Amino acid sequence: MSTTRIRIGNQTSCHVPARLPYEFAVDHGFDAFEWFSDKGDCGWCEDDMPQAERAQLRRAAQQQGILFSVHAPVTADPTTLSGAEAIRRSIRFGGDVGADVVNLHLSCEHGAKPFAEALRPLLVVARATGVRLCLENMPHTSPDHVNTVFGVLSTLPEAVGQVGMCLDSGHANLFAGTHHDYLAFVDQLGEHVPIIHWHAHENWGDRDSHLPLFTGPSGRDDRGVRGLVRRLKRRGFSGSVVLEQWPRPPDILVRTRERLRQLWEAG
């Protein structure tokens, strides 16, 4: 049986007030939760939460054993002034609530070196704040690009112990080079790429539908999820697994968590 600790939790949704998914996590004993800065129809952003409420949230998380993470806005590009400031806001919020990581999208619009260099001042702020950054693969992100970015980061002193990858298995399933085969995506990641966070959802290869695990292809055949569990364990993964959806009914999340935890313990 595995002794590696993982945490499994859910995330805010742009379609319902943030307190609803958070209170669901508390009520159902989830030990991770992600605050996604994405207003949408009725979602959430850092400016919605005053300092006193942040301090209260930090205390509550400590008492309930919940580890927070923060997702920076989708459009937050560290190579731009506005994007870097948006990421700083997420970092500051993460520090206020005691989060472990702040997640941002790994952009392919710039070369690996300009992107990595743009992270340097943010990594300094993150270290001072007590959080790490994690870089998430998007549907158009190749394993080679991830490898190259982390190759550059490995040469930066600011990045030591401060940055890792957020593996989005649903996005990996959509990448053209590993279409319908997210395990191949993971297999092409270099050993120098530390996976410290997992966004867990699936799709049928047609679009980024964010289906809960075991409600799409893995509901018919879970060998892919089992294979991913084995690969993550070999890499020493011990981070949070975030279920990036708010299904109807939300109790689906509880069943997903229980089945995923069983696979992790058996893998």
Short mmCIF file of all heavy atoms in Angstrom, two decimals, residues 162-193:
data_model
loop_
_atom_site.label_atom_id
_atom_site.label_comp_id
_atom_site.label_asym_id
_atom_site.label_seq_id
_atom_site.Cartn_x
_atom_site.Cartn_y
_atom_site.Cartn_z
N GLN A 162 11.21 26.31 -6.34
CA GLN A 162 10.11 27.27 -6.36
C GLN A 162 9.13 27.07 -7.51
O GLN A 162 8.14 27.79 -7.58
CB GLN A 162 10.65 28.70 -6.45
CG GLN A 162 11.19 29.22 -5.14
CD GLN A 162 10.14 29.23 -4.04
OE1 GLN A 162 10.33 28.60 -3.01
NE2 GLN A 162 9.05 29.92 -4.25
N VAL A 163 9.39 26.12 -8.41
CA VAL A 163 8.50 26.00 -9.57
C VAL A 163 8.45 24.54 -10.01
O VAL A 163 9.44 23.80 -9.94
CB VAL A 163 8.98 26.91 -10.74
CG1 VAL A 163 10.37 26.53 -11.20
CG2 VAL A 163 7.99 26.90 -11.89
N GLY A 164 7.27 24.13 -10.42
CA GLY A 164 7.07 22.78 -10.94
C GLY A 164 5.98 22.82 -11.99
O GLY A 164 5.48 23.88 -12.37
N MET A 165 5.60 21.64 -12.45
CA MET A 165 4.57 21.54 -13.48
C MET A 165 3.24 21.16 -12.87
O MET A 165 3.17 20.33 -11.95
CB MET A 165 4.96 20.47 -14.51
CG MET A 165 3.91 20.30 -15.61
SD MET A 165 4.33 18.96 -16.75
CE MET A 165 2.92 19.07 -17.87
N CYS A 166 2.18 21.76 -13.37
CA CYS A 166 0.83 21.28 -13.12
C CYS A 166 0.44 20.44 -14.33
O CYS A 166 0.26 20.97 -15.43
CB CYS A 166 -0.15 22.44 -12.96
SG CYS A 166 -1.89 21.90 -12.96
N LEU A 167 0.36 19.14 -14.14
CA LEU A 167 -0.07 18.27 -15.23
C LEU A 167 -1.57 18.34 -15.37
O LEU A 167 -2.32 17.99 -14.45
CB LEU A 167 0.36 16.82 -14.96
CG LEU A 167 -0.16 15.81 -15.99
CD1 LEU A 167 0.46 16.05 -17.36
CD2 LEU A 167 0.09 14.38 -15.52
N ASP A 168 -2.03 18.80 -16.52
CA ASP A 168 -3.45 18.76 -16.84
C ASP A 168 -3.66 17.59 -17.79
O ASP A 168 -3.34 17.68 -18.99
CB ASP A 168 -3.89 20.08 -17.48
CG ASP A 168 -5.40 20.17 -17.61
OD1 ASP A 168 -5.99 19.28 -18.27
OD2 ASP A 168 -6.01 21.11 -17.05
N SER A 169 -4.16 16.48 -17.26
CA SER A 169 -4.26 15.26 -18.06
C SER A 169 -5.31 15.40 -19.16
O SER A 169 -5.16 14.80 -20.24
CB SER A 169 -4.57 14.06 -17.17
OG SER A 169 -5.65 14.31 -16.29
N GLY A 170 -6.35 16.18 -18.93
CA GLY A 170 -7.33 16.41 -19.99
C GLY A 170 -6.74 17.16 -21.16
O GLY A 170 -6.99 16.84 -22.33
N HIS A 171 -5.93 18.18 -20.87
CA HIS A 171 -5.26 18.94 -21.94
C HIS A 171 -4.25 18.06 -22.68
O HIS A 171 -4.12 18.15 -23.90
CB HIS A 171 -4.56 20.16 -21.36
CG HIS A 171 -5.49 21.19 -20.82
ND1 HIS A 171 -5.07 22.26 -20.05
CD2 HIS A 171 -6.85 21.33 -20.94
CE1 HIS A 171 -6.11 23.00 -19.72
NE2 HIS A 171 -7.21 22.46 -20.24
N ALA A 172 -3.54 17.21 -21.93
CA ALA A 172 -2.57 16.32 -22.57
C ALA A 172 -3.27 15.37 -23.54
O ALA A 172 -2.71 14.99 -24.57
CB ALA A 172 -1.80 15.53 -21.52
N ASN A 173 -4.50 15.00 -23.22
CA ASN A 173 -5.27 14.11 -24.09
C ASN A 173 -5.66 14.78 -25.40
O ASN A 173 -5.92 14.11 -26.40
CB ASN A 173 -6.52 13.62 -23.36
CG ASN A 173 -7.16 12.42 -24.01
OD1 ASN A 173 -6.53 11.37 -24.14
ND2 ASN A 173 -8.42 12.54 -24.42
N LEU A 174 -5.73 16.11 -25.38
CA LEU A 174 -6.12 16.87 -26.57
C LEU A 174 -4.94 17.32 -27.42
O LEU A 174 -5.14 17.68 -28.59
CB LEU A 174 -6.92 18.11 -26.15
CG LEU A 174 -8.31 17.85 -25.55
CD1 LEU A 174 -8.89 19.15 -24.99
CD2 LEU A 174 -9.25 17.24 -26.57
N PHE A 175 -3.73 17.31 -26.87
CA PHE A 175 -2.58 17.76 -27.64
C PHE A 175 -2.44 16.89 -28.89
O PHE A 175 -2.50 15.66 -28.83
CB PHE A 175 -1.31 17.69 -26.79
CG PHE A 175 -0.07 17.98 -27.58
CD1 PHE A 175 0.13 19.23 -28.15
CD2 PHE A 175 0.89 16.99 -27.80
CE1 PHE A 175 1.26 19.49 -28.91
CE2 PHE A 175 2.02 17.24 -28.55
CZ PHE A 175 2.20 18.50 -29.10
N ALA A 176 -2.23 17.53 -30.03
CA ALA A 176 -2.25 16.82 -31.32
C ALA A 176 -1.24 15.69 -31.37
O ALA A 176 -1.50 14.62 -31.94
CB ALA A 176 -1.99 17.80 -32.46
N GLY A 177 -0.08 15.88 -30.76
CA GLY A 177 0.95 14.86 -30.82
C GLY A 177 0.72 13.66 -29.94
O GLY A 177 1.37 12.61 -30.13
N THR A 178 -0.19 13.78 -28.98
CA THR A 178 -0.53 12.65 -28.10
C THR A 178 -2.05 12.51 -27.98
O THR A 178 -2.57 12.17 -26.92
CB THR A 178 0.10 12.83 -26.70
OG1 THR A 178 -0.37 14.07 -26.12
CG2 THR A 178 1.61 12.84 -26.77
N HIS A 179 -2.74 12.76 -29.09
CA HIS A 179 -4.19 12.78 -29.07
C HIS A 179 -4.73 11.43 -28.60
O HIS A 179 -4.32 10.37 -29.09
CB HIS A 179 -4.71 13.09 -30.47
CG HIS A 179 -6.15 13.46 -30.52
ND1 HIS A 179 -6.97 13.13 -31.56
CD2 HIS A 179 -6.92 14.15 -29.65
CE1 HIS A 179 -8.18 13.59 -31.34
NE2 HIS A 179 -8.19 14.21 -30.19
N HIS A 180 -5.64 11.46 -27.62
CA HIS A 180 -6.22 10.25 -27.04
C HIS A 180 -5.20 9.41 -26.26
O HIS A 180 -5.46 8.24 -25.97
CB HIS A 180 -6.87 9.36 -28.11
CG HIS A 180 -8.15 9.90 -28.66
ND1 HIS A 180 -9.27 10.14 -27.90
CD2 HIS A 180 -8.47 10.27 -29.93
CE1 HIS A 180 -10.23 10.62 -28.66
NE2 HIS A 180 -9.78 10.72 -29.90
N ASP A 181 -4.04 9.99 -25.92
CA ASP A 181 -3.00 9.20 -25.25
C ASP A 181 -2.21 10.10 -24.30
O ASP A 181 -1.05 10.42 -24.55
CB ASP A 181 -2.08 8.55 -26.28
CG ASP A 181 -1.15 7.51 -25.65
OD1 ASP A 181 -1.19 7.32 -24.43
OD2 ASP A 181 -0.37 6.90 -26.41
N TYR A 182 -2.84 10.50 -23.20
CA TYR A 182 -2.15 11.39 -22.28
C TYR A 182 -0.99 10.70 -21.58
O TYR A 182 -0.07 11.37 -21.09
CB TYR A 182 -3.12 11.97 -21.23
CG TYR A 182 -3.95 10.97 -20.46
CD1 TYR A 182 -3.45 10.35 -19.32
CD2 TYR A 182 -5.25 10.67 -20.85
CE1 TYR A 182 -4.21 9.46 -18.59
CE2 TYR A 182 -6.02 9.77 -20.14
CZ TYR A 182 -5.50 9.17 -19.01
OH TYR A 182 -6.27 8.28 -18.29
N LEU A 183 -0.97 9.37 -21.55
CA LEU A 183 0.18 8.68 -20.97
C LEU A 183 1.43 8.91 -21.82
O LEU A 183 2.54 9.04 -21.30
CB LEU A 183 -0.10 7.18 -20.84
CG LEU A 183 -1.24 6.79 -19.91
CD1 LEU A 183 -1.36 5.27 -19.82
CD2 LEU A 183 -1.04 7.39 -18.52
N ALA A 184 1.25 8.96 -23.15
CA ALA A 184 2.39 9.24 -24.03
C ALA A 184 2.93 10.64 -23.76
O ALA A 184 4.15 10.86 -23.84
CB ALA A 184 1.98 9.09 -25.49
N PHE A 185 2.05 11.58 -23.46
CA PHE A 185 2.47 12.94 -23.12
C PHE A 185 3.38 12.90 -21.90
O PHE A 185 4.48 13.48 -21.90
CB PHE A 185 1.25 13.82 -22.86
CG PHE A 185 1.55 15.28 -22.68
CD1 PHE A 185 1.39 16.17 -23.72
CD2 PHE A 185 2.00 15.77 -21.45
CE1 PHE A 185 1.66 17.53 -23.56
CE2 PHE A 185 2.28 17.11 -21.27
CZ PHE A 185 2.11 17.99 -22.33
N VAL A 186 2.93 12.21 -20.85
CA VAL A 186 3.72 12.13 -19.62
C VAL A 186 5.04 11.42 -19.87
O VAL A 186 6.09 11.82 -19.35
CB VAL A 186 2.91 11.42 -18.51
CG1 VAL A 186 3.75 11.24 -17.25
CG2 VAL A 186 1.64 12.20 -18.20
N ASP A 187 5.02 10.37 -20.68
CA ASP A 187 6.24 9.61 -20.96
C ASP A 187 7.29 10.44 -21.68
O ASP A 187 8.48 10.11 -21.63
CB ASP A 187 5.91 8.36 -21.78
CG ASP A 187 5.17 7.30 -20.99
OD1 ASP A 187 5.21 7.36 -19.74
OD2 ASP A 187 4.54 6.42 -21.61
N GLN A 188 6.85 11.50 -22.37
CA GLN A 188 7.80 12.35 -23.08
C GLN A 188 8.34 13.50 -22.24
O GLN A 188 9.20 14.26 -22.69
CB GLN A 188 7.15 12.89 -24.35
CG GLN A 188 6.85 11.82 -25.39
CD GLN A 188 6.08 12.35 -26.59
OE1 GLN A 188 6.37 13.42 -27.10
NE2 GLN A 188 5.07 11.61 -27.03
N LEU A 189 7.86 13.62 -21.01
CA LEU A 189 8.37 14.66 -20.12
C LEU A 189 9.69 14.22 -19.52
O LEU A 189 9.82 13.09 -19.04
CB LEU A 189 7.36 14.95 -19.00
CG LEU A 189 6.02 15.54 -19.42
CD1 LEU A 189 5.09 15.62 -18.21
CD2 LEU A 189 6.20 16.91 -20.06
N GLY A 190 10.67 15.11 -19.53
CA GLY A 190 11.97 14.78 -18.99
C GLY A 190 11.93 14.61 -17.48
O GLY A 190 11.03 15.12 -16.79
N GLU A 191 12.93 13.92 -16.96
CA GLU A 191 13.03 13.72 -15.52
C GLU A 191 13.31 15.03 -14.79
O GLU A 191 13.11 15.11 -13.57
CB GLU A 191 14.13 12.70 -15.20
CG GLU A 191 13.82 11.29 -15.67
CD GLU A 191 12.57 10.72 -15.01
OE1 GLU A 191 12.37 10.99 -13.80
OE2 GLU A 191 11.79 10.04 -15.70
N HIS A 192 13.77 16.05 -15.52
CA HIS A 192 14.04 17.34 -14.89
C HIS A 192 12.77 18.17 -14.69
O HIS A 192 12.84 19.29 -14.15
CB HIS A 192 15.04 18.14 -15.74
CG HIS A 192 14.50 18.55 -17.07
ND1 HIS A 192 14.16 17.66 -18.07
CD2 HIS A 192 14.22 19.80 -17.58
CE1 HIS A 192 13.72 18.31 -19.12
NE2 HIS A 192 13.73 19.61 -18.85
N VAL A 193 11.62 17.64 -15.13
CA VAL A 193 10.34 18.34 -14.98
C VAL A 193 9.63 17.80 -13.74
O VAL A 193 9.11 16.68 -13.76
CB VAL A 193 9.44 18.14 -16.23
CG1 VAL A 193 8.11 18.86 -16.03
CG2 VAL A 193 10.14 18.65 -17.48
#
